[in-house]
Amino acid sequence: MMSNTTVADAESGGNGGACRPASLADADALDAFVTDANAALVEFYTNGCSLCDGMKPVLANVARDLGVDAALINPRDDPPLVERFDVRSVPLFVLFVDGDPVARRADGFVPGDELAAWVREHVE
């Protein structure tokens, strides 16, 4: 069985060796990812979205700093995800704790310290 999840080392960019967030292919991969994590921060993105691309290193750094799992998923690859998570704009961040979505935000580019504070307020 092929895995729908991939994790790759970060490319050069001076982010301290953080790993890139996992890339999830579909709802099944998302469900498996969040079920296995105590806390997981997932960015819903679309290809060609410059704000989404800009958030990837921020997401990686916040996840590393806080010890939460992080992933990326393109809801266009699995359209039922759009309705399931009410995706109206990207990037959309959904925070999962013990497999359940507990918070969401779609504010465009979010500075790392602000994203970290948002995660902490729902995890700690």
Side-chain angles (χ1 to χ4, degrees):
M1 182 170 146
M2 292 181 62
S3 172
N4 290 330
T5 307
T6 60
V7 180
D9 290 336
E11 296 171 356
S12 63
N15 61 2
C19 286
R20 273 199 260 174
S23 180
L24 306 176
D26 56 26
D28 290 339
L30 174 64
D31 292 340
F33 182 81
V34 300
T35 297
D36 290 342
N38 292 330
L41 182 57
V42 178
E43 177 184 343
F44 289 74
Y45 75 96
T46 56
N47 293 330
C49 169
S50 60
L51 288 175
C52 300
D53 289 341
M55 285 306 303
K56 289 176 185 176
V58 175
L59 175 66
N61 289 334
V62 167
R64 182 195 66 229
D65 292 347
L66 299 181
V68 299
D69 293 331
L72 300 162
I73 190 162
N74 185 341
R76 289 187 180 168
D77 293 339
D78 193 350
L81 285 171
V82 173
E83 185 174 331
R84 177 177 166 192
F85 288 97
D86 194 27
V87 179
R88 295 176 186 261
S89 64
V90 292
L92 166 66
F93 294 93
V94 179
L95 179 63
F96 295 83
V97 175
D98 297 326
D100 295 321
V102 297
R104 55 183 281 130
R105 72 183 292 168
D107 300 327
F109 186 88
V110 181
D113 56 348
E114 189 178 324
L115 187 62
W118 177 75
V119 170
R120 275 191 213 99
E121 111 186 21
H122 296 286
V123 173
E124 296 177 347

